[in-house]
Amino acid sequence: MPVHGVCPERLDAFRDRESARFARVRPKTRRLLDQGAQAWLGGVPMHWMRDWPSPFPLVVKRAEKARLTDADGFEIDDFCLGDTGSMFGHAPAPVARAIRRQARRGLTYMLPSKAALRAGRLLCERFGPLVWQIATTATDANRNALRVARAVTGRRKVLVFNGCYHGTLQDTMVALEGGRTVARPGLVGQVFDISAEAVCVEFNDLDAVEAALASGEVAAVLTEPVMTNSCMVLPAPGFHRGLRSLTQRYGTLLIIDETHTQSSGLGGYSRVHGLVPDLFVVGKCVAGGVATAVWGMTEAVAEAFTAYDAARPSGHSGMGTTLSGNPLQFAALEATLAEVMTPEAYAAMEAGAGRLARGLSGVIAHHALPWHVARVGARVEFICAPGPLRNGSDAAAAHAPQLEAALHLGLLNRGCLIAPFHNMMLVSPVTKQRQIDRLIAGFDEILSELTT
Ligand SMILES: Cc1ncc(COP(=O)(O)O)c(C=O)c1O
């Protein structure tokens, strides 16, 4: 009985073949991982590095443009691009130069540099006239934005959409189960009930948003413009307009997390589609791969926060980390905003991603599979179910973990790395047409093996 259009026995045989092939040709990688196994928990420095679909992770020797070279010397076209951290290609030349320059002037000193002040102006030019703060991760930027929203509204709750991901910010780790907001299972060491301070509803469901906001308890809606962390869910026509007017009607702030949707075009989805958030978050690629995130607020939110800040008891704010705001971040941020994140770069990404999406759609149609392709600018995803998806529940039902893992591994063995956890492929401005075509051809070859 086919599952997501593919016969399970054929899938098992394919996965076993591909796993053996991956392992057979990587003796050096395996040796290196064995050497590190004693020192690192689970043998890797971040536990999720074990979650790639290969029998063991790649060990990377170097990364340039949109290509990785692994420890065994294989050159791999990189469509994962650090899951957006390297969306503009690995170590873009202006960023690498800025890092070298800054390294001669010190790496961290808890004071602004001249580049910091220039970068502030560039942020306004790129993303709009907001008032900015810096952080090191998008998780932290979201955490800070939510603190400010709670502070200025005097409300406790955050509304998020079922299936969302906003980093490891625990306030958002809830799901919708039988119409109720529940804490997600699997959170390590979680000792208090997150669902007490969060409301979870389905994306694209304005009635549910209104019902939640009407309680008057919700400080902020925190959302991506497109749900990118499940199988991709695009906003229905009018959804963002409705969300903005409901949040305004009920005095709730709107935080738009553009960490992934920077793929949409210059200024992110908000600028391209005219969204008007109260707080705006962007991380990952904003400093060309150097750990940096920024969050901005409107003049009105900034004024309200300044008043709040002046009146609160002195002491820790609960926002900020020692290394956030270091001059290396600003050097990389300025170089990225000024020289990397350009209209020309986005035009190349858009053209490449269009080619990739058309190619993958053609392959799916050729194999008569009930799958579809979704895209937000440079970010392309194949989904092993019919579309479009409306919300997180649809996305969860569309997710096919075993099939997807086999596809990822098959692509890797054919020289193409795509993002783990979902089927995302990013096209950078330095991704070559032949790399895109190789990915399409690899996908076609794999689907032939799985279906005929
Ligand atoms: C939409 C969104 N926001 C925030 C984050 C958190 O980013 P970081 O892991 O850099 O903190 C992620 C990570 O994938 C994300 O997808």
Side-chain angles (χ1 to χ4, degrees), residues 195-214:
S195 64
E197 312 299 345
V199 193
C200 189
V201 302
E202 293 287 15
F203 196 72
N204 281 327
D205 185 347
L206 289 173
D207 290 342
V209 171
E210 177 153 26
L213 299 192

Side-chain angles (χ1 to χ4, degrees), residues 91-101 335:
V95 178
R97 272 196 303 275
I99 291 172
R100 276 197 296 275
R101 252 194 327 268

Side-chain angles (χ1 to χ4, degrees), residues 83 137-140 142 165-167 224 228-229 257 259-260 284:
D83 192 13
T137 63
T139 300
D140 259 341
N142 278 324
Y165 182 69
H166 296 285
E224 290 188 275
T228 66
N229 280 293
D257 177 357
T259 299
H260 277 172
K284 295 203 181 183

Side-chain angles (χ1 to χ4, degrees), residues 265-277:
L266 200 61
Y269 190 98
S270 294
R271 210 140 210 215
V272 172
H273 295 272
L275 309 192
V276 193

Side-chain angles (χ1 to χ4, degrees), residues 22-23 26 29-59 405 408-409 412 420-421:
F22 177 92
R26 288 189 168 79
T29 301
R30 205 198 286 246
R31 216 168 34 246
L32 286 165
L33 287 168
D34 286 347
Q35 283 162 13
Q38 296 253 300
W40 296 109
L41 180 67
V44 284
M46 284 296 277
H47 62 93
W48 45 254
M49 288 179 179
R50 280 274 167 208
D51 294 342
W52 289 82
S54 40
F56 46 87
L58 295 174
V59 172
H408 288 219
L409 182 55
L412 184 50
F421 316 133

